[in-house]
Amino acid sequence: MNQAGRRHEKRAGDRAGYRAGGRAGAVALLLAGAMALTACGAGSGSDGTPDLSSGSRKGQSSTGGGQPAPDAVAPETGRSAAPEGDAESGASAAPDVKAPDYLSTFALDVDTASYGYARRTLGDGRLPAAEDVRPEEFVNSFRQGYERPEGNGFSVNVDGARIGSGTDGDGGTGASDWSLLRVGLATRTAPPASERPPAALTFVVDISGSMSETGRLDLVRKSLTILTDELRDDDSLSLVTFSNEAETRLPMTRVKGNRNRIKDVVAEMEPAQSTNVEAGITRGYEESVEGHREGATNRVVLLSDALANTGDTEAEGILRKIDSARREYGITLFGVGVGSDYGDAFMEQLTNKGDGNTTYVGDETQARKVFVDQLPAHLEIRARDAKAQVAFDRKNVQQFRLIGYENRKVADEDFRNDGVDGGEVGPGHTVTALYAVRLREGASGTVAKATVRWLDPKTRKAEEETGTVTTGSVDGTLWGGENDRLQVAAVAAYFADRLRGGDLPGAPGLGELASRASGLAESTEDSAVEKLATAIGQADRLQRGAGADDEPEASEGEIG
């Protein structure tokens, strides 16, 4: 077995258990006379309730060392991490409890489907389910304007601003001493289409009965027709359909001279019976292995409403059946969701564990964006198993809280363990992580150091890049400040938090968020931000008991 195969084999155990570990709950830490601090888990509020979970996306092997990021200072075990002089004289630590570690570690995520589906749901006059709202996917749906690297790695951009208080009476309180910290990672933009590697794509299309609804199979047909015209002559394409069973409609075929044939096969797809996603993905990977091309981007693309009801309906079991193909051939899975009733969580599980990403398509305009404008970013991979670790300076930081990424957490000690799964990132992608940070009184100097680690997709060599932020870079005012893109990210994060009933410090109410988004849409001249304002307004009316009177405009995401 080759080195890549052995590495993927080590990651199998991680994928089987990451979700349970990634949702590790808050652990209470009571230290007599000491101040409670939070680490990077979900669920800690502005009242200082500690949440010390760093998550667990841990793999089987320990190769790679698992060391913390540079200059991270580990606190003493069993003590409050407060600086010297904060604890009362003679106070003793609770036994057998580890103090906060001032590290936050997570796998990178470029998914945007949660935001796209939320917009579709709101447009249909319904509030999205809280469990379908992932704040990082809302934030990552918007351009951030980060500096791009010159080479094939990442740029690391870290900044922030003081949060302040809201003005609409239903939020934004208790945040005067909190800041919003933005960690932004970006890859170099895609080269011209003529310079990218050839692609060998296997499309796995859901033709079950539920796909007969307008905006599902008809939209898939349009999407594949658009794609067929966009692909180069030296690209290859195969097509598998599934309902209760899977069928190969087109084996791996070079695009040159076959565009009309491909379009004819696409046009012949009609809705059938139940939804056996297991059969479709299994057949799709078999076709991808059969048509595998050395030096090409080999990828399976699943187009579905992800409402599995036949065969194995668990992501773990489905991916286990095609694990050897993934390990030996490095075939990644890209999920494209459709439909007003969409299995968002199921699709996310499939693509996270399939070394890919997911997006949502709600109309022909968005299909053209995904399959034309953003095609290189969805096909190519610039970084494999990418992880980020943020080391906060304990002398200056009293509390911190990562917004979202609950499903993507990695144990701190596994940051440099290259046998532990990370995220796959393509050209032109940006990844943003927002933290609510409470600085200590009189804080001065370093706030945090952010490090991103990834594997080169060709050589499998590990590389790192680091960025640092100081107190001077987070002293400005968030709202009304000069950084419009930071404000857009904040609006998106607070919107997601409101939709899932969260309690972020300084979170404005939906009415104020809609107003801020409208102003930012004008100042940025960005239609995506204008659609964000519309979505927030729809959510505000629905929460207040009124209906959503806007037509659905399902769209998500900008690859900046």
Side-chain angles (χ1 to χ4, degrees):
M1 185 181 297
N2 60 26
Q3 182 178 359
R6 287 193 296 271
R7 188 179 67 84
H8 280 281
E9 187 172 46
K10 291 174 182 176
R11 289 159 52 185
D14 167 55
R15 294 193 181 93
Y18 93 97
R19 178 167 291 277
R23 292 186 181 276
V27 179
L29 178 62
L30 302 178
L31 301 176
M35 183 171 291
L37 305 174
T38 62
C40 66
S44 100
S46 59
D47 60 357
T49 304
D51 178 355
L52 309 181
S53 167
S54 61
S56 174
R57 284 172 51 90
K58 196 167 184 177
Q60 290 176 292
S61 71
S62 60
T63 57
Q67 298 299 314
D71 297 348
V73 180
E76 299 177 41
T77 300
R79 287 180 55 92
S80 165
E84 184 178 352
D86 279 13
E88 294 180 5
S89 177
S92 60
D96 302 322
V97 179
K98 186 175 182 179
D101 59 10
Y102 278 78
L103 294 175
S104 172
T105 310
F106 58 93
L108 301 197
D109 187 2
V110 296
D111 292 351
T112 56
S114 177
Y115 174 67
Y117 184 48
R119 287 197 59 238
R120 170 63 185 262
T121 303
L122 289 165
D124 286 344
R126 298 176 289 124
L127 288 168
E131 61 268 22
D132 290 337
V133 175
R134 295 182 292 277
E136 68 275 16
E137 297 186 24
F138 279 54
V139 173
N140 285 329
S141 293
F142 297 92
R143 294 189 180 98
Q144 293 297 311
Y146 300 136
E147 180 182 349
R148 300 279 180 175
E150 296 182 1
N152 287 329
F154 286 89
S155 64
V156 181
N157 308 262
V158 194
D159 61 3
R162 293 278 183 175
I163 293 175
S165 299
T167 60
D168 65 358
D170 61 347
T173 59
S176 59
D177 56 347
W178 285 84
S179 296
L180 196 68
L181 185 73
R182 179 175 62 165
V183 177
L185 310 172
T187 56
R188 186 162 53 95
T189 54
S194 60
E195 297 180 15
R196 69 166 171 80
L201 309 176
T202 299
F203 289 90
V204 178
V205 179
D206 184 350
I207 59 167
S208 62
S210 62
M211 291 290 288
S212 62
E213 175 192 302
T214 300
R216 298 194 186 194
L217 188 56
D218 60 323
L219 184 57
V220 171
R221 292 194 201 97
K222 291 177 182 177
S223 299
L224 292 181
T225 299
I226 291 170
L227 178 70
T228 301
D229 287 330
E230 183 69 15
L231 290 175
R232 296 195 320 232
D233 285 349
D234 61 341
D235 292 328
S236 301
L237 181 151
S238 64
L239 179 64
V240 170
T241 60
F242 68 92
S243 54
N244 59 319
E245 296 180 347
E247 177 185 356
T248 300
R249 299 293 187 100
L250 184 72
M252 193 65 73
T253 302
R254 290 293 177 103
V255 172
K256 183 177 182 179
N258 291 298
R259 294 184 195 273
N260 290 335
R261 177 189 173 195
I262 294 170
K263 291 178 181 179
D264 288 343
V265 174
V266 168
E268 291 169 358
M269 295 188 301
E270 293 294 339
Q273 301 176 38
S274 53
T275 310
N276 191 337
V277 176
E278 174 197 359
I281 291 181
T282 301
R283 176 65 68 86
Y285 268 83
E286 291 172 353
E287 289 295 328
S288 186
V289 168
E290 181 69 22
H292 185 269
R293 291 175 58 185
E294 291 292 336
T297 300
N298 295 273
R299 175 158 274 203
V300 172
V301 183
L302 173 64
L303 298 103
S304 173
D305 58 14
L307 301 176
N309 56 24
T310 304
D312 195 335
T313 59
E314 297 293 328
E316 300 281 359
I318 292 172
L319 291 172
R320 193 177 302 119
K321 292 177 176 63
I322 48 86
D323 188 59
S324 61
R326 294 162 54 223
R327 286 188 289 109
E328 296 297 332
Y329 293 91
I331 299 168
T332 56
L333 179 64
F334 174 40
V336 181
V338 296
S340 58
D341 190 12
Y342 165 56
D344 172 69
F346 179 60
M347 182 73 89
E348 188 219 7
Q349 292 175 45
L350 284 172
T351 56
N352 278 357
K353 296 171 181 139
D355 296 333
N357 58 293
T358 183
T359 190
Y360 181 86
V361 169
D363 57 25
E364 188 171 350
T365 299
Q366 183 60 12
R368 186 169 295 278
K369 178 181 293 184
V370 169
F371 290 112
V372 177
D373 301 341
Q374 300 175 349
L375 183 63
H378 291 311
L379 295 186
E380 295 183 59
I381 294 178
R382 282 278 168 84
R384 282 190 179 271
D385 290 324
K387 311 182 193 83
Q389 186 170 86
V390 182
F392 289 89
D393 191 315
R394 59 187 293 183
K395 299 186 300 296
N396 291 318
V397 175
Q398 178 176 331
Q399 290 178 274
F400 66 91
R401 177 176 172 187
L402 176 60
I403 302 174
Y405 288 94
E406 289 88 357
N407 295 348
R408 306 294 285 167
K409 292 178 186 173
V410 174
D412 295 334
E413 64 269 21
D414 284 332
F415 176 60
R416 290 199 174 92
N417 181 350
D418 296 328
V420 170
D421 194 22
E424 277 60 45
V425 182
H429 270 130
T430 61
V431 179
T432 300
L434 294 178
Y435 289 86
V437 177
R438 176 179 280 174
L439 298 180
R440 298 186 184 280
E441 185 175 354
S444 179
T446 300
V447 174
K449 176 173 286 188
T451 304
V452 58
R453 180 182 177 89
W454 71 97
L455 301 181
D456 182 279
K458 294 181 179 179
T459 66
R460 305 287 173 162
K461 178 183 176 183
E463 300 183 39
E464 292 186 5
E465 192 65 48
T466 296
T468 302
V469 63
T470 63
T471 51
S473 298
V474 298
D475 279 344
T477 301
L478 173 62
W479 304 121
E482 297 181 355
N483 195 329
D484 287 346
R485 289 297 171 181
L486 175 60
Q487 294 179 66
V488 170
V491 168
Y494 281 131
F495 178 35
D497 191 64
R498 283 287 181 183
L499 288 176
R500 64 178 189 171
D503 59 350
L504 282 175
L510 289 175
E512 181 178 338
L513 283 175
S515 176
R516 293 195 182 282
S518 295
L520 289 166
E522 183 176 347
S523 62
T524 60
E525 299 182 344
D526 188 339
S527 62
V529 182
E530 184 177 352
K531 292 174 182 177
L532 173 63
T534 298
I536 298 172
Q538 290 169 334
D540 187 33
R541 288 190 293 275
L542 287 168
Q543 285 197 350
R544 294 175 185 274
D549 54 8
D550 295 286
E551 291 295 320
E553 294 181 275
S555 169
E556 113 302 327
E558 307 289 340
I559 294 180

